[in-house]
Amino acid sequence: MTDSTTLSALSSALAEAVARAAPAIVSVHSHRLRASGFVWKPGLIVTADEALADEGEVEIQLSDGSRRQATVAGRDHTTDIALLRIDGDIAPVKLSANIPALGSLAVVVAADSGAPTARLGMVSLSGAAWRSMRGGEIDARVELDVRLRHSQQGGLALNAEGDAFGMAVLGPRRVLTIPTSTIERVAAQLERSGRIPRGYLGLGMQPIRLDDGIGAMVMNVDKDGPSAAAGIRQGDVIIAVNDERLSGVRALSRSLGPKSVGTVVDVTVRRGGEPLHVRVTIGERPEA
């Protein structure tokens, strides 16, 4: 097979993959923000939470140019997944659990005013599960070497066979994908309850540097929260949790994922310079 024939076959395969996915791709308009999304289940759209306005009406524009009003069924800031509900029975896209290998070709199929768009790139990083800066559990770290406009966030990332392996979002200085396994897990929870439970200590904390490491100064305590019930006070300095030294306030916050709710942790604090152990039952963060 000649080089030109090989390229032609690859081009045709990619075009066919985009054409198969395109009917399930939509534009998401919220306030002054524009994003893309895809039909996850009939009547349910997944989009990038970061690209969705915090208030106001949400409108979906389909590939045929028609528009429909949507309601927010749920959103999770920590994994960048939002779920929208619309009337209609548009066929959903089929998601694949396969994580692409480093160097694989990838196509992001998104939308611009309802019209499908496509961007070609490659997988520049394919790694293990990780935790986002907001504490979300992402099942694999997949980065793409591709340029995206803000309106293309929430589009589908396809491999060369046309399998949808994740949702493309804009991360700091790179394009990330939220893997389909994370989407399935989070979207299912959002469909059931509209939110993802997160752990809650009921503390406002400020990082401070100690002679022997990092601590978290307790600046305020929710009087109805779990830490107040356990006896933690304003002015205490948290230095360890379950005998592990604190690495920072942000790391502590990230550890309060869904699985932490209801667990009991041993919190080591310094009060008046003396160490004190307090057992805290992690609560569920109240809705904002």
Side-chain angles (χ1 to χ4, degrees):
M1 183 179 290
T2 65
D3 290 344
S4 61
T5 305
T6 301
L7 288 175
S8 179
L10 175 60
S11 177
S12 296
L14 291 173
E16 290 173 5
V18 171
R20 288 195 300 271
I25 304 297
V26 302
S27 289
V28 180
H29 301 179
S30 59
H31 194 45
R32 298 178 180 175
L33 299 180
R34 299 290 182 268
S36 297
F38 60 91
V39 182
W40 174 59
K41 288 183 178 181
L44 292 171
I45 304 290
V46 167
T47 188
D49 176 76
E50 191 82 13
L52 191 66
D54 291 331
E55 56 186 15
E57 295 183 346
V58 181
E59 186 179 65
I60 301 299
Q61 189 169 5
L62 307 179
S63 57
D64 62 5
S66 63
R67 296 172 179 263
R68 299 183 188 179
Q69 292 299 120
T71 57
V72 178
R75 55 196 304 179
D76 178 32
H77 302 306
T78 70
T79 56
D80 205 5
I81 294 171
L83 188 66
L84 308 176
R85 195 180 303 276
I86 64 170
D87 292 329
D89 56 355
I90 308 164
V93 70
K94 184 178 180 181
L95 302 180
S96 170
N98 294 330
I99 300 299
L102 181 68
S104 302
L105 288 178
V107 182
V108 176
V109 186
D112 186 0
S113 298
T117 65
R119 294 273 181 141
L120 177 64
M122 71 165 52
V123 176
S124 58
L125 189 152
S126 183
W130 60 290
R131 193 181 294 272
S132 73
M133 293 181 65
R134 292 179 173 176
E137 297 177 1
I138 315 295
D139 294 294
R141 187 173 189 105
V142 181
E143 298 180 6
L144 304 180
D145 183 13
V146 62
R147 295 180 64 86
L148 286 187
R149 297 191 297 270
H150 284 276
S151 62
Q152 293 172 314
Q153 286 197 86
L156 275 177
L158 312 178
N159 63 18
E161 287 74 41
D163 298 326
F165 62 84
M167 176 176 68
V169 298
L170 292 174
R173 300 180 300 279
R174 60 184 62 85
V175 173
L176 303 171
T177 64
I178 307 301
T180 56
S181 57
T182 305
I183 293 169
E184 296 280 17
R185 168 169 51 82
V186 173
Q189 179 72 36
L190 294 176
E191 183 185 12
R192 288 193 299 269
S193 61
R195 64 193 300 266
I196 302 296
R198 298 290 168 187
Y200 182 63
L201 290 173
L203 298 175
M205 296 172 286
Q206 178 71 37
I208 61 170
R209 185 166 297 279
L210 307 171
D211 291 340
D212 55 353
I214 299 294
M217 172 76 77
V218 176
M219 307 302 292
N220 54 72
V221 183
D222 177 358
K223 61 182 179 60
D224 297 319
S227 292
I232 292 181
R233 305 175 186 171
Q234 183 178 5
D236 286 346
V237 177
I238 298 174
I239 59 174
V241 177
N242 290 337
D243 295 325
E244 290 190 15
R245 287 301 302 252
L246 202 69
S247 61
V249 171
R250 182 174 292 176
L252 177 57
S253 297
R254 287 203 301 264
S255 71
L256 300 175
K259 295 179 182 178
S260 71
V261 178
T263 62
V264 179
V265 293
D266 181 84
V267 180
T268 306
V269 304
R270 285 181 185 169
R271 182 178 296 167
E274 296 297 323
L276 177 69
H277 290 270
V278 183
R279 291 180 65 79
V280 180
T281 301
I282 298 174
E284 183 175 337
R285 180 175 296 279
E287 292 190 62

